[in-house]
Amino acid sequence: MDPDLDFQSANLHAKANNTEHRTSEISTQRLIIRRGQSFNISLRFKGRVFNQRTDNITFIVETGNKYQEPYRERITFSLSTINSKTDWSASVTSSSDNSVQISVFPPANATIGLHNLKVQINNQRLNISHLLGEFIALFNPWCPEDSVFLENEEERKEYVMNENGFVYVGNADWIVQQSWNYGQFDEDILEICLQILDRSQSHIKDPQKDYFRRHDPVYISRVVSAMINGNDDNGVLQGRWDGNYDLGTNPSMWNGSCSILRKWASMGFHPVKYGQCWVFAAVFCTVMRGLGIPTRVVTNFDSAHDTNGNLFVDEYHDIRGNLIKNESKDSIWNFHVWDESWMARKDLPPGYDGWQVLDSTPQETSDGIFCCGPTSVRAIKEGDIHLNYDAPFVFAEVNADIVSWVVQPDLSHKEKIYRDTKQIGRFISTKSVGNNVRFDITSNYKYKEGSEQERSVFKKALASLNGNRMNGPNSNASSSMENNRIDVNSSNPPLRDTGIEFKLKLVESPVIGQDINFLLVALNLAVEIKKININISVQSMRNDGRPFDLVWQETGFIQLGPNEEKMFPYQVPYSKYRRYLTDNNLLKVSTLGELRDIGNKLLVERNITLATPDIQIEVTGNAMVNKPFNVTITFNNPLSEELHDCVLRLEGQGLTYGFIEIKLGTIKTHHSMRIHVELTPYQNGQKILHANFHSDKLKLIKAFKDIRVFSSYV
């Protein structure tokens, strides 16, 4: 009788498999595969030579880790002559002496995450299973059968493999590009991404159901959206917008996702303080790219937060034109950042695959949890807001109408000023594929603003929302104001029955530390004289569109002759606004005019972002792995006063471990600093060095430098 076949050892060939599966940047020591693509293993036996015709070998794949035994999915499949393309399978590719090489195929709809791989040898006396090892399965955008398949290779490089990117912030008139290290392939980040799934409410409530659904990118993306914020659970980030960050980190200080994710894990999976929309979106992008789902960060300028879900945003002003906190809690964010992930939508009718909006910033709940999406971008453009998930909210973010009101001090009366159909959703931006240029994708979300097609889609969405009742939040006035449209950031058409037009123009680009000079341009299109009372105010603003402080205001009177245009200059001194700036250096200028004879009111607004001085970063020589190189940072104080408590922070994935903080003390008026720093890279490839400067008067200035790090042997 032949001796029994006895298992001796296994080789999962992590380095070779990971290279083939495009996961070697994560690790070459542990097996990480992409579903829908075979991987190779070797088995060694003792006792006798393996015989495929007579030896009965079965493979077992178990999801999750050993501590989740009662809930683990268990898949069993036998050795066959060829790999299946629809189910788990294994086939012999070659054999020699006491070893056999086997190709294992995970189907394109396999559960993603951690798995155990076992082999079971059946003979006449024993049925013994042996643990071959662990592996991690990821989504596979290279596989046509995978629901995250992305056909274009350059897009796969950008939206899955690129560890660096840009987030666009500022306002529609001042778009700023900020760099970000996603770091999805950095050491231990994938494990933290899997912890995000394991610590979700979905997993805690029903682990078995959660594992069963982890093949679906729609489900995974929704879980991750909920877990990036910590509102309902111990998610990754706690949001804060009021400017008080004493108990944590100012959101603007973050430069990358890895430090946030590691801090969340090291604190026992409690939310990291603090984040705002671009931080939530960037961390979400890291997790999704790490799991293999193509994802990009998207910024929407003049983004509506429609709290009551009626596709209208109510803005309230006092009698001087100042924006006030309104009773509806609606707001217009100067910018808002979310993500798009690429996936098939088998849960929707045909035609809604592709880019899907996902938002991790905790604004409104969805099915009782703070998350948003996935929402089909095409559904938003076509006004199909009845489709899952959260389409009415996303539609309003890019295409709501604004209804502006003036409120009396005692709140006894409010007067409608205008309905604006054009301001919301401008310059929707993401990073271009393969370069650092901003890519405008507004046309993906809506037809040309003001066009008949765009208005038709809005009415379609409103009808769907209101059950074919074509009226807004204030039906009596909404329809009567239909033709009174205005672009409040530049000018407005004549107020109905007045023939008056206002514009706000900057004399020069405003820079922090300098006085702000602007013009009110008033035009009388009527043939009679117009007498107008004017109230002009400047407020500092938060990122979420909420007013922070009143900076400056002035009242006056103007008279315009028939068809006359006049320009009225105004100046806001640095001494007036210096104490009221928020981290984003954003101010809102509001001008409220009231005609003396008939009392009709006219309101025009403009957002102003104050430019900050530049930080110069210079690199001396080539950067090589494990060899020091020199960086010089130069900064000039442009203010007519000293800067105190000055701190410079340097950080870069692959360039620094954590961050380097340099306390600079005081920088005198109009003086420069020049700092020399030696860095020793620990990873090769394209890296980004971030420099953050903050002080008592200049809250935060950011700069970055692209640095190519070469292998030491080059």
Side-chain angles (χ1 to χ4, degrees):
M1 179 181 295
D2 288 340
D4 292 331
L5 185 70
D6 193 5
F7 172 78
Q8 183 176 359
S9 63
N11 187 342
L12 300 187
H13 300 294
K15 184 175 182 179
N17 282 319
N18 291 6
T19 299
E20 289 293 320
H21 285 248
R22 302 171 183 85
T23 61
S24 58
E25 290 191 47
I26 306 174
S27 174
T28 57
Q29 303 302 311
R30 59 183 307 187
L31 180 60
I32 304 171
I33 59 100
R34 297 189 187 275
R35 64 186 194 175
Q37 181 177 344
S38 298
F39 61 94
N40 299 311
I41 64 173
S42 298
L43 303 182
R44 180 170 290 276
F45 303 99
K46 56 185 177 180
R48 61 174 173 79
V49 176
F50 168 74
N51 187 327
Q52 184 177 356
R53 290 178 298 176
T54 59
D55 291 322
N56 189 2
I57 290 182
T58 301
F59 289 94
I60 302 167
V61 171
E62 297 173 332
T63 59
N65 60 51
K66 61 183 178 181
Y67 302 108
Q68 298 160 320
E69 185 68 38
Y71 314 109
R72 302 171 79 176
E73 182 183 13
R74 184 182 174 94
I75 300 163
T76 302
F77 51 98
S78 300
L79 205 56
S80 60
T81 55
I82 57 172
N83 280 339
S84 167
K85 293 300 182 182
T86 57
D87 299 299
W88 283 92
S89 61
S91 62
V92 174
T93 58
S94 64
S95 61
S96 60
D97 296 332
N98 289 16
S99 68
V100 58
Q101 287 70 50
I102 296 172
S103 173
V104 180
F105 179 79
N109 64 347
T111 297
I112 62 103
L114 183 66
H115 298 73
N116 278 344
L117 179 62
K118 296 180 179 179
V119 63
Q120 183 169 297
I121 302 173
N122 303 316
N123 57 47
Q124 294 180 348
R125 295 180 299 170
L126 296 173
N127 289 328
I128 301 175
S129 63
H130 302 272
L131 177 64
L132 304 182
E134 290 183 341
F135 68 93
I136 295 173
L138 304 177
F139 291 100
N140 191 354
W142 286 265
C143 174
E145 289 75 30
D146 197 308
S147 50
V148 302
F149 172 65
L150 186 59
E151 187 172 7
N152 186 282
E153 174 61 17
E154 292 305 309
E155 291 183 346
R156 291 192 291 251
K157 289 179 181 177
E158 182 68 53
Y159 300 134
V160 181
M161 302 301 291
N162 195 350
E163 294 188 85
N164 300 308
F166 293 97
V167 180
Y168 297 94
V169 298
N171 67 68
D173 298 315
W174 187 268
I175 297 176
V176 178
Q177 184 185 58
Q178 290 187 354
S179 62
W180 191 271
N181 285 139
Y182 297 117
Q184 67 269 25
F185 301 138
D186 216 22
E187 184 181 1
D188 72 8
I189 294 302
L190 179 56
E191 283 71 17
I192 297 174
C193 293
L194 297 179
Q195 284 288 343
I196 287 174
L197 302 182
D198 286 345
R199 294 181 178 275
S200 70
Q201 289 295 314
S202 300
H203 185 78
I204 292 171
K205 290 177 181 178
D206 192 338
Q208 195 168 25
K209 183 178 180 181
D210 173 62
Y211 276 135
F212 179 77
R213 300 185 67 184
R214 285 193 187 181
H215 69 283
D216 182 7
V218 174
Y219 173 75
I220 290 291
S221 64
R222 197 158 169 79
V223 169
V224 176
S225 172
M227 279 297 294
I228 296 301
N229 70 76
N231 282 43
D232 310 293
D233 40 46
N234 284 322
V236 176
L237 278 161
Q238 180 176 325
R240 189 151 197 163
W241 286 265
D242 62 3
N244 182 6
Y245 310 121
D246 292 343
L247 298 179
T249 299
N250 182 327
S252 297
M253 290 296 292
W254 300 115
N255 296 311
S257 303
C258 294
S259 55
I260 296 171
L261 291 167
R262 289 187 180 120
K263 190 169 185 178
W264 176 68
S266 67
M267 294 192 312
F269 306 103
H270 288 88
V272 176
K273 301 175 181 178
Y274 294 102
Q276 290 183 8
C277 62
W278 70 92
V279 186
F280 288 109
V283 175
F284 178 92
C285 184
T286 294
V287 176
M288 296 293 276
R289 287 186 184 182
L291 296 176
I293 301 176
T295 300
R296 62 188 184 185
V297 175
V298 173
T299 302
N300 178 39
F301 291 94
D302 291 330
S303 185
H305 180 181
D306 176 21
T307 58
N308 53 11
N310 59 8
L311 307 188
F312 289 82
V313 174
D314 291 308
E315 278 202 327
Y316 292 88
H317 300 260
D318 64 21
I319 57 175
R320 292 186 179 273
N322 298 316
L323 187 66
I324 61 176
K325 294 180 180 179
N326 60 67
E327 57 195 45
S328 73
K329 297 184 180 179
D330 288 348
S331 61
I332 301 171
W333 298 39
N334 53 306
F335 70 90
H336 182 50
V337 187
W338 58 66
D339 298 88
E340 290 178 358
S341 292
W342 182 273
M343 64 188 72
R345 289 302 301 269
K346 299 175 183 178
D347 58 320
L348 300 182
Y352 297 95
D353 297 339
W355 291 116
Q356 312 290 321
V357 172
L358 287 140
D359 194 347
S360 302
T361 303
Q363 295 182 91
E364 302 292 332
T365 59
S366 174
D367 293 336
I369 297 175
F370 279 98
C371 66
C372 182
T375 310
S376 166
V377 172
R378 181 171 181 265
I380 298 305
K381 184 170 183 175
E382 301 300 335
D384 296 322
I385 63 172
H386 61 287
L387 299 175
N388 283 340
Y389 292 90
D390 310 305
F393 184 79
V394 177
F395 183 91
E397 287 184 301
V398 301
N399 215 8
D401 283 2
I402 303 171
V403 180
S404 293
W405 306 80
V406 170
V407 181
Q408 296 298 318
D410 61 359
L411 304 180
S412 61
H413 176 71
K414 60 182 181 180
E415 179 182 355
K416 189 185 304 294
I417 303 301
Y418 60 74
R419 172 176 166 184
D420 180 347
T421 67
K422 294 182 179 180
Q423 180 188 346
I424 296 300
R426 299 199 291 160
F427 302 110
I428 304 176
S429 305
T430 191
K431 178 186 176 298
S432 293
V433 173
N435 60 57
N436 296 339
V437 176
R438 184 181 69 88
F439 180 35
D440 193 304
I441 57 173
T442 308
S443 61
N444 290 0
Y445 282 83
K446 56 184 179 179
Y447 293 97
K448 185 178 179 180
E449 196 65 78
S451 67
E452 184 177 337
Q453 203 167 13
E454 181 269 334
R455 281 289 89 190
S456 176
V457 167
F458 181 86
K459 292 176 181 179
K460 173 185 177 182
L462 196 60
S464 174
L465 190 68
N466 293 338
N468 295 317
R469 289 182 295 109
M470 293 304 301
N471 51 355
N474 306 281
S475 56
N476 292 336
S478 292
S479 59
S480 65
M481 300 289 287
E482 180 69 36
N483 296 318
N484 187 22
R485 299 172 185 170
I486 173 176
D487 182 349
V488 297
N489 273 331
S490 56
S491 65
N492 65 346
L495 184 66
R496 187 164 50 91
D497 301 328
T498 67
I500 299 295
E501 182 181 272
F502 278 172
K503 295 179 182 179
L504 288 170
K505 290 186 176 181
L506 291 169
V507 176
E508 67 273 318
S509 297
V511 178
I512 191 168
Q514 299 178 4
D515 298 341
I516 301 171
N517 295 289
F518 65 92
L519 299 172
L520 171 64
V521 182
L523 175 63
N524 180 12
L525 298 178
V527 295
E528 65 271 7
I529 294 174
K530 298 293 182 180
K531 299 177 181 180
I532 310 168
N533 293 323
I534 298 294
N535 292 279
I536 301 182
S537 63
V538 177
Q539 294 171 278
S540 59
M541 301 293 294
R542 295 181 355 187
N543 280 329
D544 61 356
R546 305 289 182 182
F548 191 69
D549 277 308
L550 178 64
V551 172
W552 172 93
Q553 64 181 0
E554 188 171 307
T555 61
F557 164 77
I558 63 175
Q559 179 172 301
L560 298 174
N563 300 310
E564 183 180 19
E565 181 179 84
K566 286 185 178 180
M567 291 188 293
F568 302 91
Y570 295 92
Q571 184 179 82
V572 183
Y574 171 63
S575 60
K576 290 290 186 181
Y577 70 76
R578 60 182 288 271
R579 293 181 295 128
Y580 301 108
L581 288 179
T582 57
D583 294 333
N584 58 12
N585 297 324
L586 180 66
L587 302 172
K588 180 184 285 292
V589 182
S590 302
T591 301
L592 181 66
E594 182 176 4
L595 273 70
R596 281 191 172 182
D597 296 335
I598 57 177
N600 279 12
K601 294 180 175 63
L602 180 66
L603 177 68
V604 62
E605 300 172 293
R606 186 183 184 98
N607 288 330
I608 297 175
T609 298
L610 299 169
T612 56
D614 293 331
I615 299 174
Q616 303 296 329
I617 305 174
E618 301 175 49
V619 176
T620 303
N622 288 331
M624 303 183 71
V625 173
N626 297 325
K627 292 186 178 181
F629 72 101
N630 294 316
V631 175
T632 302
I633 296 95
T634 306
F635 170 76
N636 177 64
N637 175 14
L639 304 185
S640 57
E641 53 187 336
E642 292 182 341
L643 299 177
H644 301 286
D645 304 321
C646 300
V647 177
L648 177 69
R649 177 184 286 189
L650 301 177
E651 182 179 3
Q653 178 206 349
L655 300 171
T656 66
Y657 290 97
F659 60 83
I660 300 170
E661 189 168 274
I662 304 170
K663 295 184 178 181
L664 304 172
T666 298
I667 302 178
K668 295 181 179 180
T669 300
H670 301 306
H671 276 222
S672 296
M673 69 164 193
R674 192 172 178 84
I675 304 297
H676 302 280
V677 180
E678 185 179 86
L679 302 178
T680 303
Y682 59 90
Q683 289 179 351
N684 67 336
Q686 196 68 37
K687 305 300 177 184
I688 295 180
L689 179 65
H690 301 266
N692 291 356
F693 173 87
H694 63 92
S695 67
D696 62 331
K697 299 178 182 69
L698 295 175
K699 300 297 184 182
L700 184 64
I701 302 172
K702 298 170 77 81
F704 67 91
K705 180 76 172 180
D706 286 311
I707 298 176
R708 177 69 180 178
V709 179
F710 298 94
S711 299
S712 299
Y713 55 81
V714 175

